[in-house]
Amino acid sequence: MGDGGAMVIGSAGRRLYLVDWFRQAYESLGLEGRVIVTENDSTSAAAGYGDIGRRLPRYADPDYGPALLALVDELRPSLFLSVNDYELMHLHVATDLAEQMRERGVLVPGVDRAWQLGCADKLRMAQLLEGIGVPTPRTVAGDDEACIAEIAEASDLLVVKHRLGSGSSGLALVGADGVRAAVDAAIASAPAPADGSAPSGQDVVVQPCLPGVEHGVDLVADLREPGALRAVLARRKMRMRAGETDKAASADPAPFVANAERIARAAQLTGLVDTDMFLDEGGEPSVIDINPRFGGGYPFVHLAGADVPRFYLARALGLEVGEEWREYAPGVVSAKHESVRVTSTGL
């Protein structure tokens, strides 16, 4: 086998399958490569699971950046990806660390700064989507009483959630008579604003609950040509658990392609973003969320035949890759299950 060098998965947490699938991708390309896992918590499930494991300071620690760049200079990975929303914000928005890694020859998938900010802010995201003509539910702040009343008049069920939350943070589904109490509860549990003030209605959003069937849809763009969409991978959600897809069936991506092309182009996407879309009875999709990373729904298309890790490594290493990596069978139902591993002894 040839030398495939190394790649990094940051904050892998519980997603040991990503480590396995990147290892398998190296093998399928006929390469010996190392999967490096970086974690803040040395006892997390993934911390000792990589071929190389490194503990980094928390992303907000001043020592994080120097430690990350020292790791890159030492191990010279061809690819760096993170599956942690807060680490991604630090890399792409709060600092120029993503760009510094790119200057060192590392591919760092992601979206441009405006869309990275939008992915963390549900109100901003709705505005970005509306601006490029992608259908999305009307989204208003929790203190906009007039607009909330208009939404309640037109929809039997409303969605209340944290504006800056990750996953399903603060989520409640309520009727018009319960929206005020739900907003107050969401404010009480919302993350504190960066300026240190108390959370307010501006830290909560309200939307109509869309009709139709919820799908998870991965948009995969080229890693070297920003905005060039290469694949759309879809699954129909069948069961959720703790804000993450727990059971799903792989699905036809065709209804989601037009939205995917607009988003990839506008966001100057490289690599994969995980989106949530509702498909109504007429076959029209609406986007409700975007996460600029491998999400918890990717396994349901990988197990049906797709292989994004293979595509990532091939593009990072300048190898030819056919179309097989994006092909998968529809109607394959997969479900997550529990597992456990020892991560430390003698504490």
Side-chain angles (χ1 to χ4, degrees):
M1 283 190 173
D3 182 13
M7 58 85 59
V8 180
I9 303 177
S11 302
R14 296 164 57 89
R15 292 177 182 168
L16 276 61
Y17 54 78
L18 275 182
V19 179
D20 288 335
W21 292 341
F22 273 98
R23 284 187 179 125
Q24 292 167 16
Y26 272 122
E27 293 176 3
S28 74
L29 293 167
L31 299 171
E32 290 186 359
R34 295 170 296 170
V35 180
I36 304 162
V37 173
T38 61
E39 285 282 354
N40 164 246
D41 178 3
S42 62
T43 62
S44 77
Y49 195 69
D51 300 310
I52 298 175
R54 290 293 178 86
R55 183 176 182 180
L56 293 181
R58 288 191 74 250
Y59 65 89
D61 191 305
D63 292 332
Y64 169 86
L68 174 61
L69 295 177
L71 180 149
V72 168
D73 290 340
E74 175 194 352
L75 298 175
R76 299 186 180 279
S78 58
L79 174 68
F80 177 97
L81 63 95
S82 174
V83 292
N84 181 282
D85 291 329
Y86 302 106
E87 184 174 38
L88 287 167
M89 282 291 291
H90 188 75
L91 292 168
H92 293 272
V93 175
T95 70
D96 65 349
L97 285 168
E99 193 56 39
Q100 288 192 59
M101 283 192 283
R102 291 173 181 138
E103 290 171 356
R104 287 165 162 80
V106 183
L107 285 183
V108 185
V111 294
D112 71 16
R113 187 177 189 277
W115 282 77
Q116 180 68 51
L117 284 165
C119 289
D121 183 333
K122 295 174 177 62
L123 185 58
R124 187 191 296 259
M125 177 53 64
Q127 294 164 350
L128 287 170
L129 291 170
E130 289 170 356
I132 61 171
V134 171
T136 190
R138 185 180 181 186
T139 303
V140 302
D143 58 3
D144 191 338
E145 299 291 349
C147 287
I148 292 174
E150 291 175 3
I151 293 173
E153 183 71 23
S155 179
D156 293 333
L157 198 60
L158 289 80
V159 177
V160 177
K161 53 189 174 183
H162 293 153
R163 176 176 172 176
L164 303 179
S166 181
S168 298
S169 175
L171 179 66
L173 300 178
V174 296
D177 58 348
V179 67
R180 186 66 261 164
V183 167
D184 289 343
I187 292 171
S189 62
D195 62 7
S197 61
S200 70
Q202 281 291 310
D203 300 299
V204 174
V205 293
V206 179
Q207 303 168 320
C209 184
L210 296 181
V213 178
E214 187 174 2
H215 287 70
V217 184
D218 291 329
L219 286 49
V220 188
D222 198 273
L223 275 75
R224 297 185 179 274
E225 299 177 40
L229 187 68
R230 296 292 182 243
V232 179
L233 316 171
R235 56 265 171 194
R236 175 173 54 85
K237 297 187 180 187
M238 300 173 67
R239 184 174 66 210
M240 300 294 291
R241 183 179 183 186
E244 191 171 275
T245 309
D246 192 53
K247 180 190 288 188
S250 54
D252 180 3
F256 311 104
V257 170
N259 283 345
E261 288 175 339
R262 292 192 185 105
I263 293 169
R265 185 167 53 250
Q268 287 295 282
L269 172 64
T270 55
L272 179 150
V273 296
D274 166 69
T275 72
D276 292 326
M277 302 195 202
F278 268 88
L279 195 63
D280 68 19
E281 291 183 355
E284 295 298 322
S286 296
V287 178
I288 62 170
D289 200 13
I290 300 179
N291 299 297
R293 53 173 169 74
F294 278 89
Y298 172 71
F300 300 102
V301 289
H302 190 96
L303 294 175
D307 195 345
V308 175
R310 177 183 171 89
F311 173 68
Y312 266 39
L313 290 179
R315 294 301 289 144
L317 297 170
L319 303 175
E320 292 296 324
V321 62
E323 300 300 315
E324 297 86 0
W325 69 271
R326 67 182 202 172
E327 296 173 357
Y328 64 96
V332 176
V333 177
S334 304
K336 293 181 179 177
H337 60 90
E338 295 290 346
S339 187
V340 63
R341 64 184 298 266
V342 173
T343 60
S344 181
T345 58
L347 289 182

